[in-house]
Amino acid sequence: FDALLPVIILKIINKKIVRLLPSRICFFYRKKRLNRLQCSLQDISYRISDKIILYSKKLLDEWGIDPGKPNKIVIHSEHIIDTSKFYIKNDIDTRKINIGYVGRLSSEKGIINLIIAIKKLVDCGEDIKLLIAGTGPLESEIERFIIDHNLNSNIELIGWINHDLLINYYNNIRLLIIPSYTE
């Protein structure tokens, strides 16, 4: 349950505990009984950690995290968009690709649900195009899904994109979808 035992052991042997919290399971599943216990244990592990690193200060209230000591929370700024590198080059109305995804091709990223949703839209007659950038353990499964459901003209896997080239990718899509369960 959210690494509580290791956190307790580290505390007992007087080690510093720093937690990076890209997500909080309890935020999504508060109503289930087992998950209430998991949330309580997760909260304990946060309280006894020395530092908590979050992507945004907004997450404190959103996830109900009590920072405790004033210097306990560190806001990680790497996820802030650098507008000198990422800016609009192509007007949105001129972009041919409807939807884009950038990320690891793994189950926690929600990519399977995204391609299933695209298939359902295509089955309903929608003329839609999804461009998938990234690699990961589900890559061959996604390729097989595209072939098995004849979605070659609707879903394209383009692989890894270098960070410096992402501006071109983003300027060719109308909508970026992040279906992740963990972010």
Side-chain angles (χ1 to χ4, degrees):
F1 289 142
D2 193 54
L4 180 60
L5 183 60
V7 168
I8 291 171
I9 292 169
L10 289 169
K11 201 61 163 178
I12 290 170
I13 62 174
N14 204 27
K15 296 290 182 184
K16 293 284 183 194
I17 303 162
V18 178
R19 305 284 309 273
L20 171 62
L21 305 180
S23 68
R24 186 163 193 256
I25 293 169
C26 299
F27 180 67
F28 299 106
Y29 303 107
R30 283 219 180 263
K31 300 201 185 218
K32 294 181 181 175
R33 191 174 301 186
L34 176 63
N35 286 323
R36 284 189 201 136
L37 172 63
Q38 185 176 7
C39 291
S40 297
L41 295 173
Q42 191 177 61
D43 289 342
I44 292 167
S45 76
Y46 296 160
R47 272 187 248 125
I48 63 178
S49 295
D50 296 293
K51 292 268 186 211
I52 297 174
I53 302 171
L54 296 171
Y55 291 145
S56 164
K57 195 170 189 174
K58 178 182 171 196
L59 297 177
L60 284 172
D61 292 333
E62 207 171 275
W63 293 348
I65 297 173
D66 178 11
K69 302 174 214 159
N71 295 325
K72 186 171 188 160
I73 304 296
V74 175
I75 305 302
H76 189 285
S77 62
E78 185 178 304
H79 283 68
I80 295 173
I81 296 171
D82 182 350
T83 55
S84 69
K85 292 181 181 176
F86 293 95
Y87 54 90
I88 297 172
K89 288 169 55 173
N90 303 334
D91 185 65
I92 198 160
D93 294 331
T94 65
R95 300 175 189 185
K96 293 179 182 171
I97 307 299
N98 302 96
I99 299 173
Y101 169 87
V102 177
R104 182 170 159 75
L105 304 182
S106 56
S107 58
E108 75 276 3
K109 297 295 188 174
I111 186 66
I112 297 297
N113 285 341
L114 178 57
I115 63 171
I116 290 170
I118 295 298
K119 180 195 176 307
K120 288 181 179 182
L121 289 169
V122 169
D123 290 347
C124 290
E126 294 294 327
D127 182 21
I128 196 161
K129 175 85 173 178
L130 170 65
L131 196 57
I132 299 174
T135 61
L138 295 179
E139 191 167 354
S140 60
E141 185 178 334
I142 293 167
E143 288 171 345
R144 173 68 26 214
F145 184 90
I146 292 168
I147 292 166
D148 289 350
H149 294 92
N150 197 26
L151 295 169
N152 294 345
S153 62
N154 302 98
I155 302 176
E156 182 181 350
L157 278 171
I158 61 171
W160 177 258
I161 297 179
N162 182 297
H163 188 267
D164 294 334
L165 301 176
L166 280 174
I167 186 170
N168 297 327
Y169 174 83
Y170 292 137
N171 272 283
N172 284 315
I173 61 172
R174 292 180 180 218
L175 175 68
L176 176 68
I177 293 188
I178 305 170
S180 177
Y181 298 109
T182 61
E183 295 161 305

